[in-house]
Amino acid sequence: MTYHPYHIVGAARPARWLVTCDHASNLVPDDVNGGTLGLPEAEMDRHIAYDVGAAGLARALAERLDAPAILSNFSRLVIDPNRGEDDPTLLMKLYDGTIIPGNRHADAAEVERRLNAHYRPYHAALADLAARRDDTVILSIHSFTPQLRGREPRPWHLGVLHGHDARLADPLIARLESEPDLCVGRNQPYGGHLPGDAISRHALAEGRLNVLVELRNDLIGTEAEQAAWADRLAPPLEAALADTGL
């Protein structure tokens, strides 16, 4: 089967929304150390390699929003598509207590090669999809681990992240916080956006409405859970977009 660095689902769907999933896959392509980073399967199944459950949730949400979706097809440990090209965490050699053997000796030439083979094609395709209409709204789907090694448990069911443009995030947070059984974090478990990251590049720099939603990954581990969360999130997302009046 021919490798491709991204998948596009529902390219012809008409909605303003564009669903993105930067950390959809834990795949290590064959051109990277023969398809391995030297980690055991148990490590590659952890959050360090991809956003567990995020791909299924992104696909389900895109279907409910009648929107296209783009999903990466390489592990964040190969090269992280949610980082700027000059970000020091673009290629991780140590992550949440785990050393990445296949990245240990990766030099600048290897980083450039991985950028050209995987990262840049993904971003070019994302840019093309975002440009398909003038009023595109970017919804970025991620997941987070319930607890990092040696850290406190994370209480949030989901986080809503935003940078300086909170036009969509504010009404979405308000709607989600009105649901009594949800623990919602604003810019949790991470803060806002990093310069040059995917939202910065494809939404903030272009003035596009945007929001990044992080689900705790123990809540979306199965297809049924992903479908249930898509059913739950799609209505407040649509309502929040309407609230903006934009």
Side-chain angles (χ1 to χ4, degrees):
M1 191 171 183
T2 303
Y3 167 77
H4 205 62
Y6 57 86
H7 298 297
I8 293 175
V9 179
R13 290 174 183 161
R16 291 178 64 186
W17 297 98
L18 169 59
V19 180
T20 67
C21 191
D22 300 326
H23 299 146
S25 175
N26 62 355
L27 177 71
V28 180
D30 287 342
D31 72 306
V32 179
N33 303 314
T36 178
L37 290 171
L39 292 172
E41 184 177 348
E43 292 286 355
M44 291 302 297
D45 286 340
R46 293 181 62 218
H47 71 99
I48 64 170
Y50 74 126
D51 281 359
V52 178
L57 177 61
R59 289 175 182 270
L61 265 172
E63 182 178 355
R64 285 151 182 76
L65 296 170
D66 202 20
I70 181 168
L71 301 91
S72 69
N73 192 32
F74 53 93
S75 172
R76 67 194 300 169
L77 296 179
V78 169
I79 195 93
D80 193 331
N82 192 40
R83 295 291 185 267
E85 292 195 15
D86 60 351
D87 192 303
T89 64
L90 180 68
L91 190 145
M92 296 291 283
K93 300 187 178 185
L94 174 68
Y95 193 1
D96 194 22
T98 296
I99 294 171
I100 319 302
N103 291 346
R104 187 171 182 177
H105 301 295
D107 57 12
E110 175 61 10
V111 171
E112 183 69 11
R113 192 192 67 77
R114 294 188 195 183
L115 284 168
N116 285 329
H118 310 291
Y119 177 107
R120 287 171 181 151
Y122 170 76
H123 280 285
L126 200 167
D128 286 345
L129 279 172
R132 79 197 193 287
R133 27 185 316 166
D134 293 334
D135 59 353
T136 293
V137 180
I138 294 182
L139 168 62
S140 183
I141 297 297
H142 292 254
S143 73
F144 63 93
T145 187
Q147 186 174 12
L148 292 171
R149 288 176 174 172
R151 304 287 185 87
E152 292 296 315
R154 292 163 161 174
W156 311 282
H157 297 109
L158 73 162
V160 178
L161 277 60
H162 63 85
H164 62 78
D165 180 2
R167 291 175 295 171
L168 181 55
D170 282 345
L172 178 61
I173 291 169
R175 287 184 173 274
L176 292 173
E177 286 182 337
S178 72
E179 301 187 23
D181 62 332
L182 285 184
C183 181
V184 181
R186 179 189 289 269
N187 284 332
Q188 296 289 354
Y190 320 107
H193 296 293
L194 298 170
D197 70 9
I199 288 289
S200 173
R201 179 173 178 172
H202 298 287
L204 299 180
E206 303 292 338
R208 295 183 177 118
L209 287 173
N210 67 91
V211 69
L212 189 154
V213 176
E214 292 257 7
L215 265 290
R216 207 176 68 210
N217 67 25
D218 61 327
L219 302 177
I220 52 171
T222 68
E223 186 175 342
E225 290 169 336
Q226 294 155 13
W229 274 99
D231 288 339
R232 182 167 190 174
L233 290 173
L237 281 163
E238 292 277 42
L241 179 56
D243 289 343
T244 69
L246 299 170

